[in-house]
Amino acid sequence: MSAAQNPPTENQLKSTGNWYTSWFDTPYYHILYKDRNYREAQVFMDNLTHYLNLPEKAKVLDLACGKGRHSIYLNQLGFTVLGADLSENSIAEANKNKNETLHFKVHDMREPFEEKFDAIFNLFTSFGYFENDEDNLTTLKAIKESLSEYGFAVIDFMNVAQVLETLVPEETKTVEGIHFHIKRYLKEGHIYKEIDFEDKGQKFHFTEKVKALTLKDFEELMEEAGIYLLDIFGDYKLKKFHKTDSERLIMIFK
């Protein structure tokens, strides 16, 4: 049975005040984004772990891990990995891959962990979702608290300037026979994505909303959180960050 044959109930779709709570827990999120470039992601993990020179069997936290694809790959590289995500459905799926050195748990990234990690990865723009901007600072403090004495953290975020320059206001993507009608726009400091589609005679509407945080915004937040920003890269090959041209904003800090 495909995920599309098991649509979310009406209760799951009711607005919770947090768009990510309902959207990430639906099968449709994973259908829409099924063709993401995971080989590119693995190259990024190779480059990142090599750059950080992580010790063998280092403890790594994959924060906002989704279904755990990157946690699994990091574990295959020899690290002891915990994948954490707010989505119960995603963690249930990820748990099918757990082993002695790979675990998953439902966790809110605003809360620090009791255990300490040698590296914490927050990948593929999994930051800036919160309704309350204060929660972004709270999350950074929680990451800092969860690092070991010699640990490093990484946030891989969109480069807002480049995203806005290349923003496609409207398009339709067809995946598994479902026509996803997508609108994108900037409003009140957030980048919105409105997603409308029909499946089995039922209409669905979801909104993605991410705070349009620039490097300057992150620098201010990190200073307030007592965090040291050590290095900045602009793509998954760890090339230098350029404010207007870089695809990504990758920050290494502790």
Side-chain angles (χ1 to χ4, degrees):
M1 179 186 278
S2 78
Q5 288 172 288
N6 185 24
T9 65
E10 188 180 340
N11 283 341
Q12 283 176 288
L13 299 182
K14 283 179 181 171
S15 173
T16 59
N18 297 328
W19 61 263
Y20 46 87
T21 308
S22 56
W23 176 220
F24 288 168
D25 253 346
T26 74
Y28 297 110
Y29 171 81
H30 299 287
I31 291 170
L32 177 58
Y33 295 119
K34 65 182 282 192
D35 293 329
R36 281 181 166 167
N37 189 333
Y38 288 107
R39 179 65 204 129
E40 183 184 54
Q42 289 179 350
V43 169
F44 180 35
M45 296 299 95
D46 291 339
N47 292 335
L48 202 51
T49 53
H50 180 74
Y51 168 81
L52 294 174
N53 195 23
L54 294 177
E56 199 177 339
K57 297 181 181 176
K59 288 176 67 175
V60 176
L61 171 63
D62 183 9
L63 194 59
C65 68
K67 288 186 176 181
R69 194 180 291 252
H70 309 109
S71 301
I72 294 163
Y73 185 68
L74 287 163
N75 183 239
Q76 289 169 353
L77 292 178
F79 303 115
T80 299
V81 181
L82 173 65
D85 200 281
L86 197 60
S87 167
E88 292 182 14
N89 289 357
S90 292
I91 292 298
E93 190 67 30
N95 262 324
K96 295 175 183 176
N97 301 285
K98 70 180 180 182
N99 60 45
E100 284 185 11
T101 55
L102 174 63
H103 296 92
F104 296 94
K105 71 181 290 186
V106 176
H107 183 86
D108 187 320
M109 63 167 64
R110 290 168 287 193
E111 298 290 331
F113 286 80
E114 284 185 26
E115 57 190 304
K116 306 295 181 194
F117 297 91
D118 300 307
I120 297 176
F121 295 158
N122 178 248
L123 305 171
F124 308 106
T125 310
S126 301
F127 193 93
Y129 294 165
F130 304 111
E131 292 297 319
N132 184 349
D133 287 346
E134 276 296 308
D135 287 337
N136 295 320
L137 179 61
T138 302
T139 300
L140 284 175
K141 287 178 177 176
I143 291 172
K144 181 175 185 282
E145 276 185 55
S146 304
L147 281 173
S148 65
E149 186 182 354
Y150 301 106
F152 296 96
V154 180
I155 289 179
D156 160 36
F157 200 70
M158 62 181 165
N159 177 15
V160 167
Q162 196 262 356
V163 166
L164 292 176
E165 184 67 31
T166 59
L167 198 70
V168 178
E170 218 164 311
E171 68 173 321
T172 298
K173 284 186 178 178
T174 302
V175 191
E176 291 189 14
I178 301 171
H179 305 298
F180 293 93
H181 304 287
I182 301 166
K183 291 181 180 177
R184 300 178 181 88
Y185 55 91
L186 177 70
K187 180 183 172 185
E188 295 172 352
H190 291 80
I191 294 172
Y192 283 80
K193 189 188 284 186
E194 304 274 359
I195 303 160
D196 289 278
F197 57 94
E198 279 188 41
D199 188 38
K200 301 195 171 19
Q202 192 173 355
K203 289 187 177 182
F204 296 91
H205 173 82
F206 290 99
T207 303
E208 293 183 14
K209 174 186 171 185
V210 182
K211 180 80 171 171
L213 293 162
T214 63
L215 174 58
K216 185 172 181 292
D217 294 326
F218 273 107
E219 286 172 338
E220 289 172 0
L221 282 167
M222 287 178 179
E223 187 174 349
E224 197 171 341
I227 282 170
Y228 299 100
L229 182 55
L230 303 171
D231 224 333
I232 308 158
F233 299 110
D235 67 15
Y236 294 144
K237 293 177 182 174
L238 303 189
K239 290 180 182 171
K240 187 178 177 184
F241 176 74
H242 291 282
K243 187 178 176 183
T244 51
D245 303 329
S246 291
E247 293 175 7
R248 307 298 300 168
L249 170 58
I250 299 165
M251 296 160 286
I252 318 283
F253 59 94
K254 64 180 303 173

